[in-house]
Amino acid sequence: MLVLSGGTGTPKLLNGLRKVMPEEDITVIVNTAEDLWVSGNLVTPDIDTVLYLFSDRIDLDKWWGVSGDTFCTYELMRSLGHRERMMLGDLDRATHIIRTEYLRNGYSLTDSIRSLSASMGIKAKVLPMSDDQVATMIVTPAGKMHFQDFWIANHGKPEVLDVFQEGIETATISPAVLEALEAEEYILIGPSNPITSIGPIIGLPGMVDILRTKKVIAVSPVIGNEPVSGPAGKLMRSKGLPVSSAGVAAYYKEFLDIMVIDNRDTADESMFEEIGCKVVRADTLMKNREISMDLSRMVMEQFNA
């Protein structure tokens, strides 16, 4: 199974998927457009969430970071007048330091993540979408800013005029991702933010053409007219999309075969027929692992139907 992932939503689904199929049969292609450098080290938030999930380190209360982490380094640096762009835990920071050492020693981002995965005992394949630098930028009335500055420093409050990925035109799909895509017939798009988590992956030159040749199922991150979490609603509106499961399906319409929406969603299913995809319903809130497992089984049944 090949999964396209951002942070939070898709890892919840992966938490169930890893219990209903062998982890070594799971490949996750992860968004890197939210990566940024903090105090000399590369932070890859979405990748790290997936790494911490598969290594059983993730903080399941927040769905990011390391369980039981402390923030002594962050607090001491702050007391010395150094304010970081992100609040990094001590255990989490160790991951960033090791990854950056790999990069400084000539490793590609893909190879650095492979090495970290091996060190953490991870059986699944976790692959950055690209080895090239891509950055999601948010255009506001005050100018453009990196997504992390929009979401963390400004708490997602600024008005969003547009969203774009800086560097996407010249970025390439990594060789490891191309190999994984060639080997898989089925693609699962997790319930991550369509604009800033999945958008950069499908925005890589050539990716849409590849996805058109696959059977693609997406799980909606929206129920009714509200995203389950995060700023997806504001970002979808900036791209002229309705904040709904149908809006997500429209964003994926060039390659989407099946959209999974929540049982509680009041969407008119005829809208999906107009977009050109089938719709199925399930519990997509995933409040516990058992629900995630049930959703994973249902998706696997749809692929095999």
Side-chain angles (χ1 to χ4, degrees):
M1 177 82 71
L2 193 150
V3 184
L4 307 188
S5 178
T8 309
T10 303
K12 288 183 180 179
L13 180 56
L14 291 170
N15 196 35
L17 187 64
R18 66 192 289 232
K19 292 299 179 182
V20 301
M21 69 183 301
E23 285 193 9
E24 55 266 30
D25 292 341
I26 301 173
T27 299
V28 190
I29 298 173
V30 191
N31 170 45
T32 61
E34 294 175 20
D35 299 1
L36 77 168
W37 291 81
V38 178
S39 299
N41 295 302
L42 180 65
V43 180
T44 61
D46 290 354
I47 291 175
D48 293 341
T49 296
V50 175
L51 292 177
Y52 296 151
L53 170 71
F54 280 112
S55 61
D56 296 314
R57 291 170 165 85
I58 194 167
D59 185 330
L60 292 173
D61 292 325
K62 298 184 297 187
W63 280 97
W64 56 267
V66 180
S67 178
D69 210 346
T70 55
F71 296 86
C72 299
T73 303
Y74 173 85
E75 294 295 347
L76 179 56
M77 293 172 72
R78 184 176 181 180
S79 73
L80 296 173
H82 180 75
R83 300 186 70 89
E84 293 185 310
R85 296 170 76 182
M86 303 177 74
M87 185 175 179
L88 303 178
D90 301 313
L91 301 177
D92 183 34
R93 191 183 299 271
T95 301
H96 311 321
I97 291 171
I98 294 169
R99 173 174 42 244
T100 304
E101 278 299 295
Y102 281 130
L103 295 173
R104 290 193 177 114
N105 285 317
Y107 282 58
S108 65
L109 181 58
T110 296
D111 287 339
S112 73
I113 299 306
R114 279 175 168 160
S115 296
L116 278 168
S117 294
S119 298
M120 293 179 179
I122 295 171
K123 297 177 182 178
K125 299 180 186 70
V126 181
L127 301 175
M129 68 182 202
S130 176
D131 289 323
D132 300 315
Q133 184 173 336
V134 178
T136 290
M137 306 302 292
I138 309 298
V139 181
T140 75
K144 69 177 184 179
M145 63 181 70
H146 192 280
F147 174 81
Q148 298 295 354
D149 294 322
F150 164 78
W151 184 236
I152 295 177
N154 289 281
H155 310 290
K157 292 180 179 179
E159 178 186 355
V160 178
L161 304 178
D162 195 11
V163 183
F164 69 97
Q165 276 75 45
E166 207 166 63
I168 195 75
E169 298 86 356
T170 56
T172 59
I173 305 169
S174 75
V177 168
L178 284 172
E179 183 180 350
L181 287 165
E182 186 176 348
E184 292 286 349
E185 179 183 354
Y186 304 135
I187 309 294
L188 172 60
I189 300 178
S192 294
N193 188 317
I195 308 301
T196 55
S197 293
I198 305 301
I201 303 175
I202 65 177
L204 288 167
M207 182 63 80
V208 167
D209 291 336
I210 294 172
L211 294 177
R212 286 193 187 111
T213 70
K214 310 294 182 179
K215 184 171 183 178
V216 180
I217 296 179
V219 178
S220 177
V222 177
I223 299 177
N225 300 113
E226 293 291 336
V228 173
S229 64
K234 181 178 283 191
L235 302 177
M236 289 178 70
R237 284 190 289 270
S238 78
K239 304 303 288 186
L241 294 167
V243 183
S244 65
S245 292
V248 178
Y251 192 63
Y252 299 151
K253 67 180 180 180
E254 292 185 70
F255 50 77
L256 183 63
D257 296 297
I258 300 173
M259 172 62 83
V260 181
I261 68 173
D262 192 79
N263 289 326
R264 290 150 287 213
D265 201 313
T266 56
D268 181 349
E269 296 188 12
S270 65
M271 298 176 66
F272 297 90
E273 295 176 8
E274 294 173 8
I275 292 167
C277 69
K278 176 183 174 183
V279 62
V280 296
R281 291 180 178 269
D283 186 343
T284 64
L285 270 180
M286 295 181 286
K287 291 183 178 179
N288 57 54
R289 175 175 272 179
E290 288 68 30
I291 297 174
S292 300
M293 291 168 64
D294 289 342
L295 179 56
S296 298
R297 292 189 190 99
M298 188 276 285
V299 168
M300 294 171 68
E301 289 171 1
Q302 291 294 323
F303 277 130
N304 295 321

